[in-house]
Amino acid sequence: VVYAHRFDISGATPSGFIHPEDYGLAPGKTINLRLRAPDGTSLGAWFIFSEPVYRSQLSPPEFQGDNKLLIQRAVSESPTLLFLHGNSGTRALPSRIAIYTSLTSRLSVNVLALDYRGFGDSEGQPTVPGVAMDARTAWDWLTVEMGAKREDIVIVGHSLGTAIAGLLSAQLGTEGVNVKGVALLAPFSSIKLLMDQYAILGVPLLKPLAKLPFVPRLLAETIAHNFDTHSQIPNIAAPVFIAHGLDDFDIPHTHADILFNAFLEPYLPSSLDVFTHSTSTALVLSDTTNLTKLHDSHVDWDTLTAAQATRAVHRERIVKRTEVPHFGVLHEFEAPKMAVNDGLMSRRIALLKTQYGGHHVGRLEGVQDVFGRMFGLIP
């Protein structure tokens, strides 16, 4: 994994991140924090109060009293978003500031914005286990130290942060923890699939190398950890909202389709059912070797076509499609209940594909509205 933690265009001020007001946030609305990961790494973070909590303070613009008590009050009065940012810059990146400001006012939520190790003023160097630990550290800080209810927290990941959100959500899912929701903004399904597609500011980084013999295989084999949200899906038990802009030139929007389809797949008739009366061999359509076996076994292709049509019909029955003119298309379905500590929980899986929004699709008010309604943040 190539981290761009030193690629920072946020224009850090001389005071660093101690005074969030330097970056345009309202005076006293944000508390600068230091969190401590289990391995001792010190992490920088901001806690941004929801607009109602901020406005209700007795003495703005500067809070009086203990910060811990203020945050504990905030998480008891408003839901909180754990925001896991992308691969470049810091929590102070202007595009991220815009999202914090909009979410805290439009959805009346608190935001905990974390800089992973090696990013911003956080210590250390980023590694996949390290950044996963950092996300869990932020979660534990909210729930254990600040007393936030687990069902009041939405885990939000953007770009690289979607993979980290996937790791955290899957870990919590295996522990039976009830999370309010997971939002994946401009996600990628796996590093291996993204390698020849990823771009920064529209410039592809690895695609030219893919034309050289053996390079794609070499790159795949040398990846230390395959950030792979796709493989985490069976363990994610929370409701999931996915959003991607059709005009995203950094990560192709087809990655969002792959993830949504992976969530949907268990509830569709298996493609293997096609072959039960034609052959005793279990075959997979996407495998070239198995396609050869299909040809050799003289499978009834009319049966295959009919079975695929049946899958399409089932999909139409399960997935609700809503088109919003001049904005985008929302696909959603209700997944069967999954077991969590508190019992069985039903959940919704949604995919919003917007016409515009680029890589920072989370800044769109329409995206925030759909996100807010889905997770009960908007009455």
Side-chain angles (χ1 to χ4, degrees):
V1 179
V2 178
Y3 298 95
H5 56 295
R6 299 306 180 197
F7 182 70
D8 183 11
I9 56 175
S10 60
T13 66
S15 62
F17 302 89
I18 297 176
H19 301 294
E21 298 83 2
D22 294 344
Y23 300 91
L25 291 162
K29 186 179 181 180
T30 302
I31 294 178
N32 186 58
L33 302 168
R34 301 304 303 180
L35 309 183
R36 182 75 62 178
D39 65 355
T41 303
S42 177
L43 308 172
W46 283 345
F47 187 90
I48 305 105
F49 291 98
S50 71
E51 196 68 20
V53 171
Y54 172 63
R55 294 296 181 190
S56 68
Q57 295 298 324
L58 296 178
S59 50
E62 292 186 0
F63 291 120
Q64 302 296 325
D66 183 80
N67 286 342
K68 182 176 181 179
L69 293 177
L70 291 171
I71 295 173
Q72 288 175 332
R73 174 194 165 191
V75 299
S76 69
E77 295 182 0
S78 298
T80 300
L81 308 186
L82 172 52
F83 190 87
L84 304 171
H85 66 62
N87 192 30
S88 61
T90 71
R91 63 189 185 276
L93 200 66
S95 59
R96 292 166 191 155
I97 297 287
I99 291 179
Y100 310 152
T101 301
S102 185
L103 292 174
T104 54
S105 60
R106 290 179 59 81
L107 302 185
S108 298
V109 294
N110 309 302
V111 174
L112 175 59
L114 173 72
D115 268 327
Y116 323 114
R117 60 189 62 207
F119 287 77
D121 57 348
S122 295
E123 296 176 349
Q125 293 296 320
T127 65
V128 173
V131 296
M133 181 188 298
D134 299 342
R136 184 58 189 254
T137 298
W139 171 271
D140 289 342
W141 180 83
L142 279 172
T143 57
V144 178
E145 294 192 40
M146 296 299 111
K149 295 180 180 179
R150 299 171 298 180
E151 59 271 22
D152 284 344
I153 302 174
V154 179
I155 300 170
V156 181
H158 171 245
S159 193
L160 172 70
T162 62
I164 301 171
L167 288 171
L168 175 60
S169 303
Q171 183 183 55
L172 296 173
T174 59
E175 296 173 6
V177 175
N178 184 5
V179 180
K180 190 174 189 67
V182 179
L184 306 176
L185 310 176
F188 61 93
S189 57
S190 72
I191 283 289
K192 287 184 178 179
L193 186 59
L194 183 63
M195 279 195 311
D196 66 339
Q197 300 173 329
Y198 182 66
I200 292 181
L201 301 178
V203 179
L205 300 182
L206 297 176
K207 190 171 183 178
L209 295 177
K211 298 179 181 179
L212 301 177
F214 309 113
V215 168
R217 179 182 299 178
L218 178 62
L219 288 173
E221 292 176 351
T222 54
I223 291 178
H225 184 286
N226 182 18
F227 258 140
D228 189 351
T229 304
H230 187 276
S231 68
Q232 303 295 330
I233 284 175
N235 294 322
I236 298 177
V240 177
F241 171 74
I242 305 170
H244 218 134
L246 296 177
D247 61 341
D248 187 336
F249 297 112
D250 291 3
I251 298 177
H253 63 86
T254 50
H255 284 261
D257 296 317
I258 292 171
L259 293 176
F260 181 78
N261 290 336
F263 279 108
L264 178 62
E265 181 63 30
Y267 312 111
L268 296 176
S270 172
S271 58
L272 298 181
D273 293 342
V274 174
F275 313 110
T276 54
H277 71 280
S278 301
T279 176
S280 60
T281 305
L283 305 175
V284 181
L285 291 179
S286 61
D287 190 297
T288 304
T289 302
N290 286 335
L291 287 174
T292 302
K293 291 180 181 178
L294 277 173
H295 181 270
D296 294 340
S297 62
H298 306 292
V299 168
D300 185 344
W301 289 101
D302 289 338
T303 302
L304 172 60
T305 302
Q308 290 175 324
T310 299
R311 267 177 69 89
V313 170
H314 274 77
R315 182 186 176 96
E316 290 182 1
R317 290 175 180 172
I318 295 173
V319 179
K320 178 183 177 181
R321 183 182 185 276
T322 305
E323 183 172 354
V324 181
H326 311 295
F327 176 62
V329 179
L330 176 66
H331 309 265
E332 55 186 330
F333 71 95
E334 292 288 339
K337 294 182 178 180
M338 295 188 68
V340 296
N341 279 342
D342 301 327
L344 294 177
M345 180 181 71
S346 60
R347 60 182 186 145
R348 181 181 299 177
I349 309 296
L351 167 64
L352 177 61
K353 301 290 283 294
T354 63
Q355 294 180 7
Y356 304 103
H359 192 52
H360 298 282
V361 68
R363 290 187 294 183
L364 299 184
E365 291 185 343
V367 170
Q368 295 171 14
D369 287 347
V370 175
F371 169 103
R373 292 191 183 97
M374 177 172 170
F375 295 128
L377 304 174
I378 297 177

